[in-house]
Amino acid sequence: MKKILISLLAALGFMAGAQASSGGIAWDKVPNKTNDLASLQNGAKLFVNYCLNCHSAAFMRFNRLKDIGLTEQQIKDNLLFTTEKVGETMVSAIDPRQAKEWFGANPPDLTVIARSRSAAGQGTGGDYLYTYLRTYYPDDTKASGWNNLAFPNVGMPHALWELQGKRVPLYETVSEHGQEVHVFKGWEQVTPGTLTPAQYDQAVGDLVNYLQWMAEPAQNTRIRVGVWVLLFLSVMTLFTWRLNAAYWKDIK
Ligand code: HEC
């Protein structure tokens, strides 16, 4: 038993180590707010306003947003552009071929991006997205004028730059095994955004929260049901164990 436990722990440790070393920079942890409806609603609003211009979410219908507490009227008034109906899926405004020409890459469909990035070993997916959307910096050598620490040479410009403002990464030179290496040290805000850094982190947290929900809308229900199932099983185990003891008491 002890042996099994030790090898299980070792396997877990190995998995954690493998995840941590898969990227150039460490992913920041996205705040866990998957049950927070206000956060999900704010995320949906940011998504529709800042991401749907280029990306689609072809497997998400607008009326599914009722699951995060929005009424049909609120969806109509705040999240739909003139031509859309609530029963429609989230399609992007851009022609994919044109996008490829402009950005050098196709904007992927974002319905399940949180899940696909987690499958690609990029942390929980959510952590990667949270880091990615907060590590843009201006770069004149790029066609879009932007570059990104989490996704070097990305084709996507900084869609949220008005909110975040412009920041540049700072490096320090340290010597490692006798070699000079540049190590990322932190950020310097060059021009302010309409949000403070703390507000921006919160907004991106909400947006990623929404992306995670969209990738798995049934997740919250499943966790709730799962907790009850586990409780039920523990009570049943206890019950069966005592019943078994009572049953055999006189025979032993
Ligand atoms: C101006 C067009 C444009 C806008 C607006 C835009 N994107 Fe993108 N996005 C792209 C393009 C182009 C790519 C492909 C980049 C590449 O592969 O180099 C991309 C890629 C991505 C990726 C994939 C990154 C990866 O690891 O492969 C994610 C996630 C993403 N965008 C999220 C967003 C979110 C969230 C928003 C809204 C805040 C947004 N995008 C707004 C054009 C856009």
Side-chain angles (χ1 to χ4, degrees), residues 173-190:
T173 317
V174 295
S175 82
E176 226 173 64
H177 311 299
Q179 277 196 331
E180 304 237 301
V181 282
H182 288 290
V183 189
F184 171 69
K185 202 174 75 174
W187 294 94
E188 184 190 331
Q189 190 87 33
V190 187

mmCIF file of all heavy atoms in Angstrom, residues 173-190:
data_model
loop_
_atom_site.group_PDB
_atom_site.id
_atom_site.type_symbol
_atom_site.label_atom_id
_atom_site.label_comp_id
_atom_site.label_asym_id
_atom_site.label_seq_id
_atom_site.Cartn_x
_atom_site.Cartn_y
_atom_site.Cartn_z
ATOM 1 N N THR A 173 20.610 41.240 -16.383
ATOM 2 C CA THR A 173 21.619 40.298 -16.834
ATOM 3 C C THR A 173 22.229 39.623 -15.618
ATOM 4 O O THR A 173 22.690 40.287 -14.701
ATOM 5 C CB THR A 173 22.720 41.047 -17.613
ATOM 6 O OG1 THR A 173 22.077 41.987 -18.476
ATOM 7 C CG2 THR A 173 23.555 40.103 -18.437
ATOM 8 N N VAL A 174 22.163 38.312 -15.594
ATOM 9 C CA VAL A 174 22.803 37.589 -14.503
ATOM 10 C C VAL A 174 23.756 36.572 -15.117
ATOM 11 O O VAL A 174 23.608 36.200 -16.281
ATOM 12 C CB VAL A 174 21.773 36.846 -13.616
ATOM 13 C CG1 VAL A 174 20.873 37.823 -12.896
ATOM 14 C CG2 VAL A 174 20.963 35.861 -14.428
ATOM 15 N N SER A 175 24.742 36.163 -14.349
ATOM 16 C CA SER A 175 25.645 35.165 -14.916
ATOM 17 C C SER A 175 25.276 33.806 -14.347
ATOM 18 O O SER A 175 25.078 33.627 -13.149
ATOM 19 C CB SER A 175 27.103 35.531 -14.630
ATOM 20 O OG SER A 175 27.469 35.141 -13.347
ATOM 21 N N GLU A 176 25.122 32.863 -15.276
ATOM 22 C CA GLU A 176 24.699 31.513 -14.916
ATOM 23 C C GLU A 176 25.726 30.549 -15.483
ATOM 24 O O GLU A 176 25.940 30.520 -16.693
ATOM 25 C CB GLU A 176 23.318 31.244 -15.534
ATOM 26 C CG GLU A 176 22.341 30.608 -14.560
ATOM 27 C CD GLU A 176 20.954 30.536 -15.178
ATOM 28 O OE1 GLU A 176 20.799 29.827 -16.177
ATOM 29 O OE2 GLU A 176 20.033 31.209 -14.659
ATOM 30 N N HIS A 177 26.384 29.795 -14.672
ATOM 31 C CA HIS A 177 27.463 28.895 -15.084
ATOM 32 C C HIS A 177 28.475 29.634 -15.953
ATOM 33 O O HIS A 177 28.871 29.164 -17.020
ATOM 34 C CB HIS A 177 26.914 27.698 -15.868
ATOM 35 C CG HIS A 177 25.768 27.033 -15.198
ATOM 36 N ND1 HIS A 177 25.872 26.453 -13.960
ATOM 37 C CD2 HIS A 177 24.471 26.888 -15.560
ATOM 38 C CE1 HIS A 177 24.703 25.953 -13.607
ATOM 39 N NE2 HIS A 177 23.821 26.218 -14.547
ATOM 40 N N GLY A 178 28.832 30.838 -15.515
ATOM 41 C CA GLY A 178 29.849 31.612 -16.228
ATOM 42 C C GLY A 178 29.353 32.279 -17.495
ATOM 43 O O GLY A 178 30.111 32.912 -18.212
ATOM 44 N N GLN A 179 28.023 32.155 -17.793
ATOM 45 C CA GLN A 179 27.502 32.802 -19.009
ATOM 46 C C GLN A 179 26.521 33.894 -18.639
ATOM 47 O O GLN A 179 25.771 33.739 -17.678
ATOM 48 C CB GLN A 179 26.789 31.769 -19.871
ATOM 49 C CG GLN A 179 27.727 30.966 -20.748
ATOM 50 C CD GLN A 179 26.973 30.259 -21.845
ATOM 51 O OE1 GLN A 179 25.810 29.919 -21.658
ATOM 52 N NE2 GLN A 179 27.609 30.047 -22.971
ATOM 53 N N GLU A 180 26.550 34.972 -19.427
ATOM 54 C CA GLU A 180 25.604 36.049 -19.157
ATOM 55 C C GLU A 180 24.259 35.714 -19.796
ATOM 56 O O GLU A 180 24.190 35.405 -20.984
ATOM 57 C CB GLU A 180 26.125 37.358 -19.771
ATOM 58 C CG GLU A 180 27.510 37.725 -19.296
ATOM 59 C CD GLU A 180 27.519 39.101 -18.667
ATOM 60 O OE1 GLU A 180 27.158 40.062 -19.359
ATOM 61 O OE2 GLU A 180 27.867 39.200 -17.468
ATOM 62 N N VAL A 181 23.179 35.750 -19.001
ATOM 63 C CA VAL A 181 21.857 35.505 -19.583
ATOM 64 C C VAL A 181 20.891 36.607 -19.158
ATOM 65 O O VAL A 181 21.034 37.191 -18.079
ATOM 66 C CB VAL A 181 21.277 34.132 -19.148
ATOM 67 C CG1 VAL A 181 21.904 32.999 -19.919
ATOM 68 C CG2 VAL A 181 21.427 33.933 -17.657
ATOM 69 N N HIS A 182 19.943 36.900 -20.054
ATOM 70 C CA HIS A 182 18.908 37.882 -19.739
ATOM 71 C C HIS A 182 17.767 37.180 -19.030
ATOM 72 O O HIS A 182 17.250 36.183 -19.522
ATOM 73 C CB HIS A 182 18.371 38.522 -21.020
ATOM 74 C CG HIS A 182 19.347 39.451 -21.653
ATOM 75 N ND1 HIS A 182 19.683 40.652 -21.086
ATOM 76 C CD2 HIS A 182 20.070 39.363 -22.790
ATOM 77 C CE1 HIS A 182 20.568 41.250 -21.852
ATOM 78 N NE2 HIS A 182 20.829 40.490 -22.899
ATOM 79 N N VAL A 183 17.370 37.729 -17.917
ATOM 80 C CA VAL A 183 16.253 37.136 -17.187
ATOM 81 C C VAL A 183 15.141 38.172 -17.060
ATOM 82 O O VAL A 183 15.396 39.333 -16.720
ATOM 83 C CB VAL A 183 16.689 36.691 -15.773
ATOM 84 C CG1 VAL A 183 15.585 35.889 -15.105
ATOM 85 C CG2 VAL A 183 17.959 35.888 -15.841
ATOM 86 N N PHE A 184 13.933 37.745 -17.354
ATOM 87 C CA PHE A 184 12.777 38.646 -17.252
ATOM 88 C C PHE A 184 12.580 39.071 -15.802
ATOM 89 O O PHE A 184 12.567 38.238 -14.896
ATOM 90 C CB PHE A 184 11.527 37.928 -17.772
ATOM 91 C CG PHE A 184 10.259 38.688 -17.514
ATOM 92 C CD1 PHE A 184 9.997 39.870 -18.173
ATOM 93 C CD2 PHE A 184 9.330 38.217 -16.589
ATOM 94 C CE1 PHE A 184 8.829 40.574 -17.921
ATOM 95 C CE2 PHE A 184 8.166 38.911 -16.339
ATOM 96 C CZ PHE A 184 7.913 40.101 -17.007
ATOM 97 N N LYS A 185 12.442 40.406 -15.597
ATOM 98 C CA LYS A 185 12.404 40.903 -14.223
ATOM 99 C C LYS A 185 11.039 41.483 -13.849
ATOM 100 O O LYS A 185 10.607 41.410 -12.713
ATOM 101 C CB LYS A 185 13.473 41.995 -14.097
ATOM 102 C CG LYS A 185 13.933 42.230 -12.671
ATOM 103 C CD LYS A 185 15.075 43.215 -12.637
ATOM 104 C CE LYS A 185 14.553 44.617 -12.861
ATOM 105 N NZ LYS A 185 15.520 45.683 -12.714
ATOM 106 N N GLY A 186 10.353 42.054 -14.832
ATOM 107 C CA GLY A 186 9.069 42.685 -14.514
ATOM 108 C C GLY A 186 8.676 43.633 -15.636
ATOM 109 O O GLY A 186 9.286 43.619 -16.709
ATOM 110 N N TRP A 187 7.648 44.432 -15.411
ATOM 111 C CA TRP A 187 7.135 45.307 -16.457
ATOM 112 C C TRP A 187 7.297 46.767 -16.099
ATOM 113 O O TRP A 187 7.254 47.136 -14.928
ATOM 114 C CB TRP A 187 5.641 45.047 -16.662
ATOM 115 C CG TRP A 187 5.354 43.692 -17.201
ATOM 116 C CD1 TRP A 187 5.054 42.571 -16.480
ATOM 117 C CD2 TRP A 187 5.349 43.305 -18.573
ATOM 118 N NE1 TRP A 187 4.859 41.513 -17.321
ATOM 119 C CE2 TRP A 187 5.029 41.922 -18.600
ATOM 120 C CE3 TRP A 187 5.574 43.973 -19.772
ATOM 121 C CZ2 TRP A 187 4.937 41.218 -19.792
ATOM 122 C CZ3 TRP A 187 5.479 43.273 -20.954
ATOM 123 C CH2 TRP A 187 5.165 41.909 -20.964
ATOM 124 N N GLU A 188 7.439 47.602 -17.159
ATOM 125 C CA GLU A 188 7.385 49.037 -16.932
ATOM 126 C C GLU A 188 6.228 49.590 -17.748
ATOM 127 O O GLU A 188 6.143 49.362 -18.956
ATOM 128 C CB GLU A 188 8.700 49.697 -17.378
ATOM 129 C CG GLU A 188 8.723 51.167 -17.071
ATOM 130 C CD GLU A 188 9.909 51.867 -17.709
ATOM 131 O OE1 GLU A 188 10.964 51.212 -17.907
ATOM 132 O OE2 GLU A 188 9.770 53.054 -18.041
ATOM 133 N N GLN A 189 5.319 50.296 -17.089
ATOM 134 C CA GLN A 189 4.175 50.892 -17.775
ATOM 135 C C GLN A 189 4.659 52.134 -18.529
ATOM 136 O O GLN A 189 5.195 53.053 -17.908
ATOM 137 C CB GLN A 189 3.102 51.273 -16.744
ATOM 138 C CG GLN A 189 1.779 51.678 -17.331
ATOM 139 C CD GLN A 189 0.844 50.484 -17.578
ATOM 140 O OE1 GLN A 189 0.858 49.521 -16.843
ATOM 141 N NE2 GLN A 189 0.040 50.574 -18.636
ATOM 142 N N VAL A 190 4.508 52.146 -19.863
ATOM 143 C CA VAL A 190 4.994 53.288 -20.642
ATOM 144 C C VAL A 190 3.883 54.319 -20.828
ATOM 145 O O VAL A 190 4.065 55.505 -20.590
ATOM 146 C CB VAL A 190 5.509 52.828 -22.025
ATOM 147 C CG1 VAL A 190 6.161 53.986 -22.750
ATOM 148 C CG2 VAL A 190 6.496 51.686 -21.855
#
